[in-house]
Amino acid sequence: GKIVAPGFVDVHTHYDAQAFWDPVLSPSPFHGVTTVIGGNCGFTIAPLSGDSDDAQYLKRMLARVEGMPLESLDAGVPWGTWQSFGEYLDRLDNTLAVNAGFLVGHSALRRTVMGARANAEKASADDLQAMQALLRDSLEAGGLGFSSTLSTTHNDMEGRPVPSRFANQAELLALCGVCRDVPGTVLEFLPGTKEFDDNTYQLMTAMSLAAQRPLNWNVFVPGNPSIDKSQLAAT
């Protein structure tokens, strides 16, 4: 009377920081999850620039957008022990009870390259080239793909839009294009929580084409028929 089945793969988690103080990644395994994917929505804690202000910013951003206590992020994460994405993955290697993979977050890339300008300016040509190089290095070190958000629901601790929301379409497509050159990578994107329009469809299509990769968009919350219909049309 029972069924034997593979473990579930949870493609949308934010265990990037919790992985350091909770190697079981609870409560996911308690529900049959055997693989988790972190780094969604552009919210990652790697790569880092080496400037403590940037690490502080990303920590506080994560606390705001994902509701994580700052006290836990301060006490449970060994800040300052990595800069590159590969070094971050090395800190977690062979420490977790379930399979885990992590996307490379747009807001972290922007903050690492642009510093405080990430929350105020369009990226320059030099900025964009540096972000592409950093993303490529991160993917080659083991990052699963590129993630970003333009959702108006995503703001930092000061109530400002998170860095990725200052990106234009050219920046998004340029970064998606990096995935095209690294086999096995994917895209994750949160365009917003309201009705999708033609611009949304066209942007996500362009991102997928630029990367030559599937794009996983989030978040679908059933309940409003008009919103549901417009979002499902994106599939």
Side-chain angles (χ1 to χ4, degrees):
K2 299 187 182 297
I3 297 174
V4 176
F8 296 113
V9 178
D10 189 345
V11 298
H12 192 120
T13 79
H14 291 281
Y15 282 129
D16 307 65
Q18 183 178 328
F20 285 109
W21 70 77
D22 177 18
V24 175
L25 299 183
S26 60
S28 289
F30 308 150
H31 300 286
V33 173
T34 56
T35 300
V36 300
I37 307 300
N40 288 279
C41 305
F43 303 141
T44 57
I45 54 177
L48 296 175
S49 66
D51 185 330
S52 61
D53 287 345
D54 294 334
Q56 285 291 322
Y57 175 82
L58 292 175
K59 175 178 65 177
R60 289 168 58 80
M61 178 190 72
L62 198 61
R64 167 67 183 267
V65 296
E66 297 303 329
M68 299 178 184
L70 273 174
E71 294 82 1
S72 298
L73 293 173
D74 279 329
V77 179
W79 301 97
T81 62
W82 74 86
Q83 289 188 34
S84 72
F85 203 85
E87 289 170 339
Y88 166 76
L89 294 179
D90 287 344
R91 288 302 311 265
L92 296 175
D93 195 29
N94 294 319
T95 67
L96 304 178
V98 298
N99 301 310
F102 298 91
L103 300 161
V104 184
H106 192 177
S107 285
L109 291 171
R110 234 178 182 265
R111 181 74 192 201
T112 297
V113 168
M114 299 176 64
R117 293 189 298 114
N119 291 81
E121 298 178 10
K122 173 183 174 181
S124 68
D126 288 344
D127 291 332
L128 184 51
Q129 187 174 26
M131 280 191 277
Q132 288 177 296
L134 187 56
L135 175 57
R136 184 174 293 105
D137 289 345
S138 299
L139 296 176
E140 291 176 347
L144 292 184
F146 171 66
S147 70
S148 188
T149 180
L150 293 181
S151 177
T152 57
T153 61
H154 284 148
N155 299 296
D156 64 18
M157 190 64 81
E158 283 70 43
R160 302 171 299 176
V162 296
S164 63
R165 289 180 56 193
F166 289 88
N168 57 20
Q169 179 168 323
E171 179 179 329
L172 281 168
L173 297 185
L175 291 170
C176 288
V178 176
C179 291
R180 180 183 57 236
D181 302 324
V182 185
T185 50
V186 297
L187 303 175
E188 187 272 344
F189 182 57
L190 204 151
T193 58
K194 304 298 183 183
E195 291 185 21
F196 291 175
D197 56 19
D198 286 341
N199 290 333
T200 306
Y201 302 142
Q202 291 170 10
L203 174 59
M204 292 196 291
T205 299
M207 291 171 67
S208 183
L209 289 173
Q212 292 294 293
R213 297 287 184 269
L215 183 146
N216 169 31
W217 62 263
N218 296 271
V219 171
F220 182 67
V221 183
N224 184 311
S226 63
I227 294 177
D228 298 347
K229 183 178 180 180
S230 75
Q231 293 188 351
L232 287 173
T235 62

